[in-house]
Amino acid sequence: MSTYRLNKLLAPGSIALVGGSTRASSLGTAVMRNIRAAEFAGEFAVVNPVHREIDGHQTYNSIDALPFIPDLVVVSAPAAAVPGIIVEAAARGVAGAVILSAGLGHGEHSVAAAALSAARKAGLRLIGPNCFGLLLPGCRLNASFAAHMPRDGSLALISQSGAIVAGMVDWAAKRSVGFSGIVSVGDQLDVDVADCLDFFAEDSQTRAILLYLEAIPDARKFMSAARAAARVKPVVVVKAGRMAQGAKAAATHTGALAGADAVYDAAFRRAGLLRVFDLRELFDCAEVLAGGNEPRGKRLAILTNGGGLGILAVDRLVELGGVVADVGSAALAALNDGLRRGWSGSNPVDIGGDADSDAYRASLGALLDDADNDAVLVMNVQTAIADPVAIARAVSDAVAVHRERFEPSSKPVLAAFIGADPKVTALLESAAIPNFLTEDDAIRAFMYRVHHHDTMQALMATPPSDMETVKADRVTAQRILEDAMRDGRTWLDPLEIATIFEAYTIPIVPTRKASNMNEAISLAEGFFRQGYAVAMKILSPDIVHKSDVGGVALGLHDADAVRLAYATMMESATIKCPQARIAGVILQPMIVRPHARELIAGLADDPTFGPVVVFGHGGTAVEIINDKALALPPLDMQLAEDLVQRTAIARQLAAYRDVAAVKVDAVQLTLVKLSQMAVDLPLISGLDINPLLADENGVLALDARIAVAPPHRMFPGQTRLAVRPYPAAWQHDVVLRGGATILLRPVKPEDEVGIHHLLTHTDARDLHSRFLGTIKQFPHTFVARLTQLDYARAMAFAAVAPESGEILGVARLHSDSMYRMAEYAVLVRSDMKGQGLGWTLMTELIRYARSEGLIELHGDVLQSNDEMLQMCRALGFQVSSDPEDPAIALVSLDLNAPTVA
């Protein structure tokens, strides 16, 4: 249900506590005292059928007896009473409940199921059960059993653990870090992490979101919410259970490499989340994200009064991938002039152990003005010579001057005042300068910001528009998989694998079947004439590991060798696996590419996220080397390149010594093809190519295995993928009113150039009508948001000229987080108006919205846009005036109403 009524739960105007107790140590009493101590601004009452008064507070014997209808009820009653409380709350019109109580159980006949059923009948939202509660400093609500009430701030925390909430609250109290909201989701009976992500992504008071996760019940929903949130603000995640051995029984190499935590890591990367690995990192990340701007790059200037400390900082910076900034000529001159007693002469800028506040002020000012760095780290080791409080004040003053001059694009400044006393810490905090205990913590914090900046750049990057389209014979591949399933097999034979690879144009070593010895000799002689030795392998649906039964013979050079190998193989297989059905043997040429790199590529099936593309260093020691990277499909060439570059073997793909570089994009295109197989063929449960040879001539699969099984889960849209793939089925030709034919298809990320061309070739008046305001520039970030769609929430159709490929018009919709209602917009290039293109785009958008089960399409239209309003009325839209803006007309279409012809 996503954010439906969450505003009533996370910004309530009135609350009731159900289940208070006279016992001082009870959960209900602790929560009641916290609510009262926080001085909640709205109406508050306690419901208890036994006691007329608790701790001096009047109680009511039922929710129905309350003098007001609460937005939120907080439930601390025994588990068995919870369903009845929810029924009563729903009947009274309560919007939501936070269930602190534990022990509601799981499953169809549990107390939890009864509570959920009662809530859903009335649209009442539930947080919990078995949760720590809510802390909402903005409305002074502490509906939890936390020891402290955090101050108001700009961080949101969403946690699956109450203990983590308690720890974060205690930490925040000591560091004066504030929160916009803290939600402990507990068992996620209704409201889950994704719902909270959607809420805080839209919350103007939230600057960054922190997540503590243990498991994700709905990967598609989580990925959609996480991708949406990460595009508008930093989202930091710490995931417990990293050492879980998710691949113990994996039957394929890729399955063994794709451990559970590695898949989560791939999912977080795809969504744009910043991952940290422990609470200390989460705390530090929270502090650095709570204020200040992001660096535009990774060049860090370091100002210190201790040379050794500066060297340690440089070592850590380089180790984590940062860059030691050069000192620009102007800054160099300013430092030489201002530091008459001498300094290090380079970065790190060591101004000496006797540096006072004036030296810090002048040095920091010079570095902040220097265009050759992206951020500044100020470090100080306290000495008996200089006053650290005065130095902290000077640093604060210099930063304030810089921010006043350059906001909103001022540089980030971090501090590490080693052993700072409370006065120093307070000064830096009041100036919104994050201060860290050590140089290591400060460098890590800087790199968090760098990684987030890089992640945002990657999310907004445009894939190459000239990438080769994956051409595949899906029908043939699907038929092979269905035949295997019908036969009760879990593995494809090598001939079937070769046929599927040919269907997806993945080069594979030639594979031939021989039913008897004479056929084997005849086929082998054909390979001999081409100059190849031959490999022979047993062909049986019952023998997966061929070498275990003597079912592999290599390096066969003549007919006699083939004859002997065939006879020996059959005898050995019959003895070691007497029940096996043997269909003969397969023969393959032993292709030698002396300078080829041995890679592994394939697909693994994760129980949470579905198919995962795996790439890395291949060969017989693949698990020992363990050089691999994972990505969630679907992939484009850019995502495939990122996948390759995250491995150590990537460096060997370039030329070195007398070895030529691997053919450009050959490996990446193979990964895109595997990704397309994951999209097209849900019966594939695992796929290995090991080794995949790669050299200057391209790639070649030497050995491959494909496992088949019914998909363990399907997401909406009949796909196993956690990231909804490109909806290619909606691509088709349309004939316009004047007889011209256009291609109508969903927008792709690589359409950025085409969309930019459309915008720059549309009249200003039409642009004003589309964007409801004047817009003159179309930077990359603006256009990227129009082309990089999450198809689980949005759709845009492009009308494309078949010959030129120009985009002539676009219609788009973006749904609410419940995926029930969607806002639409349409733009037709000015010279294409009057040909029925707008009508064509709108009818296609309506058809798509209906197919997705949306119930309403709505939009804002200028009252002066007569053409659009006329079309809307003709399509069945209801038109009304915006009561807040008379220049705007509100249009809406009931998608359950009959279709307009």
Side-chain angles (χ1 to χ4, degrees), residues 4 42 64 75 100 102 124 150 430 454 506 565 569 593 615 664 795:
Y4 175 66
D64 193 54
V75 182
L100 307 179
L124 185 149
S430 65
D454 291 347
I506 297 175
M569 187 177 294
R593 292 188 174 182
F615 171 77
V664 175
M795 172 56 78

Side-chain angles (χ1 to χ4, degrees), residues 88 154 174 230 264 276 319 362 409 474 521 544 627 685 854 892:
E88 187 181 2
S154 60
K174 296 174 183 177
Y264 270 95
V276 296
E319 181 183 3
S409 58
R474 180 183 179 277
I521 293 171
V544 176
D627 172 29
S685 60
L854 295 170
S892 62

Side-chain angles (χ1 to χ4, degrees), residues 54-109:
I54 297 176
D55 200 22
H57 198 93
Q58 177 189 355
T59 67
Y60 298 85
N61 62 9
S62 68
I63 294 175
D64 193 54
L66 292 172
F68 61 92
I69 300 174
D71 291 333
L72 174 70
V73 295
V74 181
V75 182
S76 64
V82 171
I85 293 170
I86 299 304
V87 168
E88 187 181 2
R92 189 74 198 278
V94 174
V98 178
I99 305 174
L100 307 179
S101 315
L104 274 69
H106 303 276
E108 183 179 356
H109 302 294

Side-chain angles (χ1 to χ4, degrees), residues 302 304 306-317 348 379 439:
I302 300 169
T304 179
L309 191 63
I311 293 170
L312 287 175
V314 164
D315 288 346
R316 197 67 173 130
L317 178 67
M379 299 194 296
E439 88 294 337

Side-chain angles (χ1 to χ4, degrees), residues 18-86:
V18 182
S21 171
T22 56
R23 289 185 296 111
S25 61
S26 73
L27 173 64
T29 300
V31 174
M32 183 182 72
R33 287 175 176 168
N34 274 348
I35 293 173
R36 294 173 67 182
E39 299 181 346
F40 175 65
E43 293 181 285
F44 169 57
V46 179
V47 175
N48 188 293
V50 178
H51 304 287
R52 299 183 63 181
E53 180 183 290
I54 297 176
D55 200 22
H57 198 93
Q58 177 189 355
T59 67
Y60 298 85
N61 62 9
S62 68
I63 294 175
D64 193 54
L66 292 172
F68 61 92
I69 300 174
D71 291 333
L72 174 70
V73 295
V74 181
V75 182
S76 64
V82 171
I85 293 170
I86 299 304

Side-chain angles (χ1 to χ4, degrees), residues 139-156:
C139 57
R140 303 205 300 272
L141 175 61
N142 181 0
S144 77
F145 43 101
H148 305 281
M149 176 63 176
R151 65 191 294 180
D152 193 11
S154 60
L155 291 175

Side-chain angles (χ1 to χ4, degrees), residues 110 129 176 248 291 316 403 471 594 622 762:
S110 64
S176 300
K248 279 184 178 178
R316 197 67 173 130
R403 288 173 178 167
K471 298 176 182 177
V622 59
T762 300

Side-chain angles (χ1 to χ4, degrees), residues 345-363:
S346 63
N347 191 16
V349 177
D350 177 11
I351 56 178
D354 60 348
D356 58 13
S357 58
D358 290 337
Y360 266 95
R361 182 183 289 104
S363 302

